[in-house]
Amino acid sequence: MTTFLSGGTGTPKLLAGADGVFPPGETTVVANTGDDVELGGLLVCPDLDTVLYLEGDVLDRETWWGIGDDTAQTHEELHRLAGAADLAGGPRYLGAEAQTAGRPIARWRRFSGVAEFMHIGDRDRAVHVTRTGLLDEGYTLTGATRVLATAFGLDRDVLPMSDDPVATLVHTPAGPVHFQEFWVARDGEPTVEDVEFRGGEDATATDAVLRALREPVVIGPSNPVTSLGPMLAVDGIRRALAETPVVAVSPFVEDRVFSGPAAKLMAAVGYEPSTAGVAEAYPFTDAFVLDSADDTALDRPVVRTDTGMETAEDSARVARAVAEALEVVS
Ligand code: GDP
């Protein structure tokens, strides 16, 4: 068995062609939930959903989020209504009191559904309604995710990192904003002073996650701050990673990032935005997979390959390098 830790792009890209090396029935994916938001009363879990849609073969492979060929009638109508009533566009973060009222899992990340600031497709929304409905019925997020995994016919086990709230808040000169507001609504432009994982200290790892972390662990090329940071903020997860063989794929080629805000956020929290900084952020990692063009010298075993992943063959190549690195450290 092997356990993958996942955000919404790098690890899913790796999994997309990894079945021959890491058979679905022998792998578990633990997904970040720091990016989750409650939007118009619905819990949206972008990283969990990317894994569900990928493994269920419905993912929009252009964006790496949402369902391919989904319509967006409800989303469009929300914008029409808000515009016709002269309501300011989203994101409309709810007031301080509302942030800690209601279901605990949505703490510190509640937005009004008015002028919905994230693009939610119609089929995608059905998933959020089902998930939130299950939570209202008393399911944990782990249980609700299992139901959705069954609905999408998954062979891989998919787990949220915790059933407790951990909210990724980006501190800017104008105050803290949720990561989705920073990234989706403001294009990652505000200056970042710090990144906080609110709730991380009190959150516990579920038994299912702790069981999964007894197996060798693969960290795909994820954003170390926003995808791994929330997991590492949970004590039990950090401790478990120190005890098991871990292989990580760098999301950088030396100091060049493939996509997304990893460099800016790493610099903001005090890591060099590079492969060297990733190694520093992951002291529990036993071996790394680096790009062939990445000459970073590390104090741990390294397997090199072309880590760019566009096709399933690319993913399979990186998966083979990961398996090779795991053999060295297991
Ligand atoms: P998010 O949840 O969508 O923010 O994304 P993740 O944390 O899962 O992944 C983001 C990271 O994936 C970025 O830092 C990218 O550099 C990295 N990435 C994207 N595509 C590739 C690729 O093809 N190869 C490698 N090695 N990294 C990639």
Side-chain angles (χ1 to χ4, degrees), residues 7-10 13 35 47 221-223 227 250-251 257-259 262 307-309:
T9 310
K13 271 182 144 183
D35 290 1
D47 291 352
S222 303
N223 181 326
S227 292
S250 179
V257 79
F258 282 85
S259 61
T307 60
M309 293 182 286

Side-chain angles (χ1 to χ4, degrees), residues 154-169:
L154 260 64
D155 295 322
R156 282 200 163 93
D157 230 358
V158 180
L159 302 170
M161 61 181 225
S162 176
D163 285 332
D164 299 322
V166 181
T168 302
L169 302 178

Side-chain angles (χ1 to χ4, degrees), residues 89-113:
R92 297 166 65 109
Y93 193 66
L94 296 185
E97 229 164 83
Q99 294 299 337
T100 48
R103 64 176 75 81
I105 190 94
R107 276 190 186 160
W108 315 298
R109 41 180 157 189
R110 286 204 161 88
F111 292 86
S112 150

